[in-house]
Amino acid sequence: MSRGAVADDVLHALRDEVRTFLRTELADGAFRPDVDSWMTGFDPDFSRRLGERGWLGLTMPVEYGGQGRTAVERFVVTEELLAHGAPVAAHWIADRQMAPSILANGTETQKRRYIPGISSGTVFFAIGMSEPDAGSDLASVRTRATGNGDTWSLRGTKVWTTGAHIAHAMVLLARTDGSTEDRREGLSQFVVDLPHPDIEIRPLASIDGEAHFNEVIFHDAVVDSSALLGVRGQGWRQVMSELAFERSGPERYLSTLPLLRAWTGLLREHGATPEQRRTLGELTAQAWALRQMSLQVARELHAGGEPDVLAAMVKDLGSTFEGDLVSAIRDASGAIPRRTGGTDFERMLAQAVLHTPAFTLRGGTNEILRGIIARGLGMR
Ligand SMILES: Cc1cc2nc3c(=O)[nH]c(=O)nc-3n(C[C@H](O)[C@H](O)[C@H](O)COP(=O)(O)OP(=O)(O)OC[C@H]3O[C@@H](n4cnc5c(N)ncnc54)[C@H](O)[C@@H]3O)c2cc1C
């Protein structure tokens, strides 16, 4: 078997185990399936229960509290959690991209300090990349870190920082040298513990009235020199690797799959028109094709590859699909989205409609991803 390959019976057994757990949780009323649950389904107890079962930090080495398993096994676990709309937002960022980043770039102290907590579902992280004037053009970040050998002083503003209000730490991208004209040079990353007396976290309300992300202001916040993550000045290279983990997972096409499952349940119960059957078939076929592409990304990541172009394709096609799915089901079902007072399906539909605009923006917009694809194909 090649590196990264896992016997089918091992994967089936793992999938069965996760499904059994989720069925029990649902029967106990521990959670209610939601769309976009990896972004907004915050439940620290649920995250802890996953950690106890060894389903977080799956690819992390055992010596740091991980499970030492493969990216494909992680794919199976995350796929089931997402498809069931389980509340995984609390640990999502930490488990998806911060554990691998700290493993790749962190000091031994940082690895021992953060990875075990991430793997047990008790330490949550935020991503400190975007700024008011630096989104797609990330290299123009202005947040500055000034060092004196013992400490770093952080000044600047980050925005759209998902979960900063509940995170135990943030990985921050800041300029340590040069000016914004130097672009990719002179950037560094830091692991900043939260909360911090000189870091202000202000909630930003989204269209559904909830506040999952924040504006984060650093008022000359002082952190120890040991907060530097990786090599000073290598922040751009490091952040690009982090983004590969952020962009490549199954959450980039499965955010609204719980809606498809809920609708399928209704059609089974009440019967389907030929038109509804056609819509269901088309959506299922698209989801299946995306799944094969996403699995390939997981396999390549595990084999030590850098599947940036394939990951960009999955995110571009996948994030478009998860929005198209909502419109298709809304049209085919004829249901009215209702945030409150309706059925579970109408509530999920309302949630999906309100979340759709974010799908093709978060984690890098589709225009930017298409640029990466064009470059990968040698067209730029
Ligand atoms: C729900 C959600 C959660 C988020 N969470 C986080 C988080 O936790 N941490 C974090 O750091 N950031 C986060 N973000 C921010 C996200 O990464 C940015 O919104 C995204 O990178 C786009 O940046 P911008 O919003 O500044 O838009 P802009 O960069 O201003 O882009 C505006 C429009 O112009 C287009 N555009 C820009 N440049 C080009 C170009 N060169 N070619 C073609 N078109 C272009 C874009 O595609 C877009 O349509 C989140 C965003 C959302 C929606």
Side-chain angles (χ1 to χ4, degrees), residues 212-264:
H212 309 290
F213 46 33
N214 305 271
E215 182 179 35
V216 181
I217 306 163
F218 297 79
H219 298 285
D220 297 317
V222 174
V223 294
D224 193 77
S225 61
S226 61
L228 180 70
L229 176 64
V231 181
R232 175 174 179 164
Q234 290 295 307
W236 185 260
R237 184 189 56 76
Q238 294 175 197
V239 100
M240 286 301 114
S241 305
E242 187 189 320
L243 278 170
F245 284 100
E246 179 174 345
R247 289 173 173 164
S248 63
E251 70 271 33
R252 299 303 181 180
Y253 69 98
L254 287 177
S255 304
T256 53
L257 203 85
L259 183 71
L260 182 61
R261 284 167 60 98
W263 188 50
T264 309

Side-chain angles (χ1 to χ4, degrees), residues 335-346:
I336 310 276
R338 288 181 220 276
R339 286 197 61 218
T340 53
T343 62
D344 263 0
F345 175 70
E346 289 165 342

Side-chain angles (χ1 to χ4, degrees), residues 282-295:
E282 280 173 3
L283 293 173
T284 307
Q286 287 178 61
W288 192 255
L290 283 161
R291 178 174 191 270
Q292 300 312 311
M293 290 175 74
S294 188
L295 253 172

